[in-house]
Amino acid sequence: MKKLLTIFTLLVAFTAFTAWKVDGNAEFKFEKETYDFGKIPQGKPVSYEFKFTNVGTEPLIITKVESSCGCTVPKYTNAPIKPGEAGSISVTFNAAQAAPFSKSVTIRSNAKTPLKSLYIKGEVVK
């Protein structure tokens, strides 16, 4: 029984130690996480480039960037971003319909926060 208790204690300690080791991950630091285009003309696509820096201690790898609808197209840095280096995510919105809009872009990565959202908003006018 004593051996079983010792093994269980070591297993719990090992699990806790590995769970705490999150310091060395990559991490985003964006200049802006929301961009307001204001009023934009209908029929003319608009773009904004979200710039970020990897403030972590490991290379930042973006695995996927998804938009909330087909009217928003993201493009992103495919290469790993080393600690201290910068990257960007460009978001283009197709201003086809005259109406206010609010769209999100979700980033999947190896960062401490593996899911990150960016937002664009504005109003398309005729």
Side-chain angles (χ1 to χ4, degrees), residues 74-90:
K75 291 183 183 176
Y76 58 97
T77 306
N78 291 322
I81 295 94
K82 294 178 184 175
E85 291 186 355
S88 65
I89 298 172
S90 177

Side-chain angles (χ1 to χ4, degrees), residues 44-120:
K44 292 188 179 179
V46 291
S47 296
Y48 181 74
E49 188 173 20
F50 289 95
K51 296 179 182 177
F52 64 87
T53 303
N54 177 2
V55 295
T57 58
E58 292 181 8
L60 177 63
I61 301 168
I62 299 173
T63 54
K64 192 173 192 179
V65 179
E66 299 174 297
S67 64
S68 58
C69 74
C71 60
T72 308
V73 179
K75 291 183 183 176
Y76 58 97
T77 306
N78 291 322
I81 295 94
K82 294 178 184 175
E85 291 186 355
S88 65
I89 298 172
S90 177
V91 178
T92 301
F93 175 71
N94 182 6
Q97 275 188 321
F101 67 91
S102 179
K103 305 295 177 185
S104 67
V105 174
T106 304
I107 307 161
R108 295 179 188 278
S109 70
N110 68 329
K112 286 181 186 177
T113 308
L115 288 176
K116 181 79 172 163
S117 293
L118 303 173
Y119 304 93
I120 58 169

Side-chain angles (χ1 to χ4, degrees), residues 10-31:
L10 287 173
L11 182 62
V12 169
F14 176 76
T15 305
F17 177 74
T18 56
W20 285 335
K21 192 176 182 261
V22 293
D23 303 352
N25 288 347
E27 188 61 38
F28 288 107
K29 176 150 176 73
F30 281 92
E31 291 177 0

